[in-house]
Amino acid sequence: MLITHDTRCALDTVVDLVNTAPDDDGTSDGLSDIASLEEFVRKHDMSDVGVLSAFDLAAVRRIRGRFAAIFSAPDSRSAAALINELVAAAGTTPRLTDHDGYDWHVHYFAPGASVADHLAADCGMALAFFVVAGEQERLRRCEAPDCRHAFVDLSRNRSRRYCDSRTCGNRLHVAAYRARRKEATG
């Protein structure tokens, strides 16, 4: 599957957005205030975003939950319905642009769109490409029992199981190794 630079950026953004949500174990909200939303926008180099407000923060939190549902969708039909709702509500307006040193690419949000509509349009379309390509199963949740972060499996054989193999994957492999060693030594 060919993934363009702008689609990859949108995928990274939506994964990070979903993963800002507080976990069931009491972790804090990664978008707890306007300053954290401003930092999120800066980190993801989002263009055409004006001054952010409490309204923007609430709207982004709402669509974050809708994106989370896409990563948990049981099938492509369910994922497509969720994506269609997000993209339609954002008032998608595709346009070609070249800015900030990037070659031609497509923005799906209208000029002057709110940050929530910007995210819903661009990130929603990035996820839509996966559904269209029959690759919805690549939109996953980490299999580590204490994690459940979202990620996009871009491995060649669709075998990625953990959001980060250095943390979640390694932690589970070490635990399994120690359990085998303990069982072997009695």
Side-chain angles (χ1 to χ4, degrees), residues 11 13-24 31 59-75 78-79 82-83 85-86 119-120 123-124 127 136 138-142 147-152:
L11 290 172
T13 300
V14 73
V15 164
D16 284 352
L17 177 63
V18 169
N19 291 337
T20 64
D23 293 330
D24 294 336
L31 293 177
V60 169
R61 284 180 177 166
R62 276 192 304 277
I63 65 159
R64 174 180 66 185
R66 297 176 80 188
F67 277 124
I70 294 166
F71 279 84
S72 301
D75 55 49
S78 301
L82 293 166
I83 292 168
E85 289 173 13
L86 268 169
L119 288 165
C123 296
L127 296 178
Q136 183 257 334
R138 289 182 181 269
L139 309 177
R140 298 192 175 163
R141 292 290 190 157
C142 184
C147 180
R148 303 301 296 153
H149 274 144
F151 69 94
V152 178

Side-chain angles (χ1 to χ4, degrees), residues 13 16-17 31 36-44 119:
T13 300
D16 284 352
L17 177 63
L31 293 177
S36 59
L37 178 58
E38 289 169 342
E39 178 56 30
F40 182 87
V41 166
R42 252 189 316 281
K43 176 183 175 189
H44 292 285
L119 288 165

Side-chain angles (χ1 to χ4, degrees), residues 8 12-13 19 40 45 50 54 57 66 83 91 96 99 101 111 126 150 182:
R8 179 60 193 254
D12 291 343
T13 300
N19 291 337
F40 182 87
D45 203 19
L57 180 61
R66 297 176 80 188
I83 292 168
L96 286 169
H99 62 87
K182 184 177 180 178

Side-chain angles (χ1 to χ4, degrees), residues 3 13 73 77 83 101 108 113 115 119 133 135 149 164 166-167 185:
I3 299 174
T13 300
R77 185 163 304 282
I83 292 168
Y108 294 96
V115 67
L119 288 165
E135 302 284 351
H149 274 144
D164 187 343
R166 291 178 307 240
T167 55
T185 59

Side-chain angles (χ1 to χ4, degrees), residues 3 14 21 56 68 70 86-87 97 100 104 106 123 127 153 181:
I3 299 174
V14 73
D56 292 309
I70 294 166
L86 268 169
V87 171
T97 184
D100 299 329
W104 290 106
V106 180
C123 296
L127 296 178
D153 180 3
R181 297 274 299 166

Side-chain angles (χ1 to χ4, degrees), residues 4-5 10 17 21 37 39 42 50 53 56 58-59 69 82 96 102 126 129 132 146 151 156 166 171 177 184 186:
T4 61
H5 171 76
L17 177 63
L37 178 58
E39 178 56 30
R42 252 189 316 281
S53 67
D56 292 309
L82 293 166
L96 286 169
Y102 296 109
F129 296 142
V132 167
D146 59 341
F151 69 94
R156 185 171 292 181
R166 291 178 307 240
R171 187 174 63 247
Y177 170 78

